[in-house]
Amino acid sequence: MAQNVTNVAQTEEVTSTRRVIAASSVGTLIEWYDFYIFGTLAKIISEQFFPKDNPTAALLATLATFAAGFVIRPFGALFFGRLGDLIGRKYTFLVTLVIMGGSTFAIGLVPGFKVIGFAAPAIVFALRLLQGLALGGEYGGAATYVAEHSPEGKRGFWTSFIQTTATLGLFLALGVILIVRQTLGIEVFNDWGWRIPFILSVFLVGISIFIRMKMSESPLFAKMKKEGKTSANPLAESFQKKDNLKMVLVALLGATAGQGVVWYTGQFYALSFLQNACNIEFVQSNMIISIALLIGTPFFIVFGSLSDKIGRKWIMMLGMLVAVIAYRPIYTVMYSEANLKLKEEIVEKTEKKEKFEVKGADSLITAVTTKEFTDGTKYKETVKKKFPVDPEKKAAMPKDKLKPETKKEVTLPQDLFYKMIGLVLIQVIFVTMVYGPIAAFLVEIFPTRIRYTSMSLPYHIGNGVFGGLVPLISTRLVEFTRPAPGAPPADPLFGLWYPIIIAAICFVIGTLYISNKTNNLDTE
Amino acid sequence: MSVIKRIFGLVWAAMGLGIIPLVIMRAMQEIAEKPTEENWIFWSIVIVVLMPIISFSLITFGIFALKGEYNTLAN
């Protein structure tokens, strides 16, 4: 009889914990989805909302907006973290979900630059900041909430489900974009179809809010509140007290900064590298990333669970170390497998087509060259030249406006496609090693009364600022190696030095100053 | 181990300090050579956002380490 009662109690506890994890994870996944559709559609957004006169400036402006989304995250961490430590975890991360869903939905409705001029980029910029702010408050809340429900000795395992959400959110974003694009066709998608993934968010967020409304407050926080032990000023307590500030710094420099750059290199930079340095065709490059993410995602749980048994530190440190060592060799292989100069062309299969059109006052010449290679690789180059029909107007135009627009698309054969998936998958495994145990690590080093505030800031500076700036800084580093404007870069892998150096420093600091011991959560 | 942690503390603090003139000089040089919008945006993000975070955290962390605050491992 007593045994039966114990079994029922255990089953109820497991069901309740599963419910907590599911409700927290679904909301966080949707927040990541919302955040990443913007980044994934950066190119289209730049065309829609930023002046087209200078495409590079437009793209950079979008990247800056993208970075702004990341840079604002620490402020969201402070604002919502404080709120979470004052009024509770449940209501705080419910608010962040509403803000994220609302701003994502609104981005899908903003008229383009052609319709409302400079108001368009200004509104999009403001909404992007709101997204960053909301995300800054979400993750710490979800991780803290799940950790405070988790049984001792299982915290790494339970919180690792929250850790899968960032990757699954990116996977969902890529999946939805690919499906909508394939269904509507490229032209319609580029025209207005890109809005659908943003608008879709409102339904996903609605479901998540409904689920979260039914959840109860974290037991540790509820107990503290009942006993009147909550912090009166979590910000001051977190960052003005030396003992806690020490932990914030070691968490940032010894763990989250390295984790951030490894995360963004293995997922975002890999996609950008496939598309821009290797010129892999849009659908194929997204498929490579999506499949690698899907296969790699369970490893978050594997490493989270393993960290309960052998400690958090060495799994994270090993992840950083292997990333530092392996990035250059991995990207060298990725680049060479797509490098057409290393392939043998089947000359008789080369085709060239040219089309001349008059569109209003402009002439448009479209030249399409297709090539095939002995290993099965296919290449398509589309060059579009647009100039005024009137020769006088043409002669008066600045040279850079007459520059043709070139689009290169490489489609890999099946064996190389799988090889690319394997190479990205290795990077995703590094991501799972550094990211799987980090939520449990962060919640355990800070006390309950200021946990939400204290863990959110180093996480979002590491992940958002150090990691979020990987595309911007790495792209820029590659530009340094370009001998002349328009010439190919001398070292297309030069951008990797940013994540390599940050992860290497983080590895040394983490190894020297972080303990491998796992802690129980206090209620003081 | 404690001695190594303290010595490295000096390295982190020096690194945090050293980054400031290095980044500012590089930014000034690049912007003077090519005062484009892209350059301004890029270096503004680096100088206003990234550099202060790296410098402040490394210097403060380095000083703590130098004083032996991390002699007991962080856990």
Side-chain angles (χ1 to χ4, degrees):
Chain A
M1 182 70 180
Q3 183 64 44
N4 282 347
V5 171
T6 313
N7 286 345
V8 169
Q10 278 176 346
T11 313
E12 273 175 10
E13 195 184 322
V14 170
T15 314
S16 150
T17 314
R18 279 184 187 159
R19 206 178 298 135
V20 164
I21 290 167
S24 308
S25 303
V26 169
T28 315
L29 185 145
I30 292 164
E31 287 225 20
W32 284 114
Y33 162 82
D34 287 352
F35 197 69
Y36 287 133
I37 43 176
F38 190 98
T40 316
L41 293 172
K43 211 172 175 184
I44 293 175
I45 289 170
S46 89
E47 285 164 7
Q48 292 283 338
F49 294 110
F50 294 87
K52 275 185 172 178
D53 303 328
N54 182 344
T56 319
L59 184 65
L60 202 68
T62 310
L63 280 175
T65 312
F66 184 56
F70 286 104
V71 170
I72 203 77
R73 276 167 56 179
F75 294 98
L78 290 177
F79 181 77
F80 290 108
R82 178 181 171 275
L83 218 59
D85 283 328
L86 286 174
I87 64 163
R89 285 60 163 126
K90 181 193 161 180
Y91 289 105
T92 306
F93 75 165
L94 198 60
V95 173
T96 64
L97 195 61
V98 173
I99 294 174
M100 178 61 102
S103 44
T104 306
F105 178 65
I107 291 175
L109 299 179
V110 178
F113 183 81
K114 279 182 195 162
V115 183
I116 56 168
F118 277 101
I123 295 170
V124 170
F125 189 77
L127 291 169
R128 182 64 176 161
L129 292 184
L130 275 179
Q131 278 195 322
L133 209 64
L135 190 69
E138 166 67 24
Y139 173 82
T144 303
Y145 187 79
V146 172
E148 289 177 352
H149 275 90
S150 305
E152 293 300 334
K154 291 245 177 193
R155 199 168 298 115
F157 174 63
W158 290 120
T159 53
S160 67
F161 287 91
I162 290 290
Q163 301 306 90
T164 63
T165 58
T167 298
L168 287 176
L170 176 58
F171 176 78
L172 186 65
L174 294 178
V176 170
I177 289 166
L178 275 179
I179 292 168
V180 176
R181 194 174 182 265
Q182 291 302 98
T183 311
L184 298 176
I186 297 167
E187 266 187 40
V188 179
F189 182 80
N190 288 349
D191 187 24
W192 61 265
W194 61 271
R195 293 178 184 273
I196 293 175
F198 286 93
I199 292 168
L200 191 69
S201 165
V202 81
F203 301 105
L204 301 173
V205 169
I207 296 166
S208 184
I209 289 171
F210 177 74
I211 300 170
R212 280 196 178 175
M213 290 286 278
K214 293 185 167 184
M215 291 156 69
S216 54
E217 184 52 271
S218 139
L220 290 188
F221 183 83
K223 185 172 178 274
M224 280 197 118
K225 200 165 186 183
K226 203 175 161 191
E227 291 168 359
K229 287 180 182 170
T230 52
S231 171
N233 191 347
L235 285 178
E237 217 176 300
S238 292
F239 309 113
Q240 284 177 10
K241 281 192 175 175
K242 193 177 75 182
D243 283 345
N244 204 60
L245 179 63
K246 259 165 52 183
M247 292 304 174
V248 171
L249 288 172
V250 82
L252 171 66
L253 297 171
T256 60
Q259 169 266 306
V261 293
V262 171
W263 204 96
Y264 278 90
T265 307
Q267 301 184 156
F268 266 109
Y269 189 68
L271 178 62
S272 157
F273 187 82
L274 285 174
Q275 290 179 339
N276 301 318
C278 303
N279 296 312
I280 306 285
E281 186 263 333
F282 182 87
V283 175
Q284 196 177 49
S285 55
N286 278 288
M287 287 295 284
I288 291 169
I289 298 289
S290 302
I291 296 170
L293 291 181
L294 199 65
I295 301 170
T297 298
F299 286 91
F300 284 110
I301 298 161
V302 170
F303 290 116
S305 178
L306 190 65
S307 76
D308 285 328
K309 296 177 179 78
I310 64 167
R312 328 276 182 217
K313 174 184 171 178
W314 290 115
I315 299 174
M316 296 192 294
M317 293 307 127
L318 187 65
M320 280 179 218
L321 181 66
V322 286
V324 166
I325 295 168
Y327 274 156
R328 294 271 311 183
I330 288 174
Y331 279 85
T332 304
V333 179
M334 282 168 74
Y335 189 70
S336 62
E337 292 297 4
N339 191 350
L340 300 180
K341 285 178 188 161
L342 304 175
K343 296 174 191 276
E344 199 182 322
E345 187 184 337
I346 308 169
V347 184
E348 57 269 26
K349 286 200 174 174
T350 300
E351 280 181 24
K352 282 182 186 174
K353 285 177 190 164
E354 208 170 81
K355 199 167 93 182
F356 181 82
E357 292 169 280
V358 175
K359 282 189 175 175
D362 290 323
S363 300
L364 180 70
I365 299 173
T366 311
V368 180
T369 309
T370 52
K371 293 179 181 179
E372 282 190 35
F373 296 82
T374 50
D375 68 347
T377 302
K378 289 179 182 166
Y379 176 68
K380 184 181 172 189
E381 188 177 281
T382 310
V383 181
K384 285 185 180 172
K385 279 184 210 167
K386 194 177 168 188
F387 51 87
V389 179
D390 183 350
E392 276 182 24
K393 278 188 184 170
K394 187 184 170 187
M397 271 186 91
K399 266 188 179 175
D400 59 321
K401 299 247 170 173
L402 290 170
K403 240 169 89 178
E405 189 185 302
T406 308
K407 190 180 177 190
K408 297 173 179 176
E409 290 169 292
V410 173
T411 307
L412 297 172
Q414 216 167 31
D415 58 333
L416 292 184
F417 172 69
Y418 290 132
K419 192 170 179 180
M420 285 291 191
I421 292 172
L423 291 166
V424 177
L425 178 61
I426 296 170
Q427 297 177 62
V428 178
I429 300 293
F430 301 160
V431 173
T432 61
M433 290 176 80
V434 295
Y435 198 61
I438 211 163
F441 164 74
L442 288 173
V443 294
E444 283 168 357
I445 61 170
F446 298 111
T448 304
R449 51 192 278 121
I450 51 167
R451 181 170 296 130
Y452 200 153
T453 313
S454 299
M455 74 158 283
S456 294
L457 190 71
Y459 173 79
H460 286 289
I461 291 179
N463 198 285
V465 179
F466 283 91
L469 291 177
V470 166
L472 188 73
I473 293 178
S474 295
T475 307
R476 182 63 190 217
L477 286 176
V478 175
E479 287 299 310
F480 286 145
T481 71
R482 219 179 271 280
D491 183 2
L493 309 183
F494 198 70
L496 289 169
W497 285 116
Y498 170 67
I500 288 174
I501 291 169
I502 298 287
I505 293 173
C506 202
F507 167 75
V508 176
I509 292 180
T511 302
L512 279 175
Y513 300 96
I514 288 176
S515 163
N516 195 41
K517 215 174 89 184
T518 53
N519 294 336
N520 293 342
L521 299 189
D522 69 304
T523 49
E524 293 306 311
Chain B
M1 196 63 175
S2 296
V3 179
I4 295 172
K5 282 188 201 172
R6 281 174 179 239
I7 293 170
F8 265 100
L10 203 64
V11 175
W12 310 130
M15 208 186 262
L17 269 175
I19 284 168
I20 301 170
L22 216 75
V23 170
I24 291 175
M25 274 163 64
R26 180 80 199 190
M28 282 167 63
Q29 187 194 338
E30 283 232 359
I31 291 171
E33 273 174 21
K34 228 176 143 191
T36 58
E37 191 186 350
E38 292 153 55
N39 263 346
W40 276 105
I41 292 173
F42 176 78
W43 285 110
S44 303
I45 291 172
V46 171
I47 290 176
V48 177
V49 181
L50 196 60
M51 192 189 72
I53 291 174
I54 295 180
S55 299
F56 171 78
S57 51
L58 276 175
I59 293 169
T60 318
F61 178 75
I63 292 170
F64 280 152
L66 196 63
K67 285 181 174 173
E69 295 282 351
Y70 293 107
N71 283 356
T72 311
L73 284 172
N75 51 29

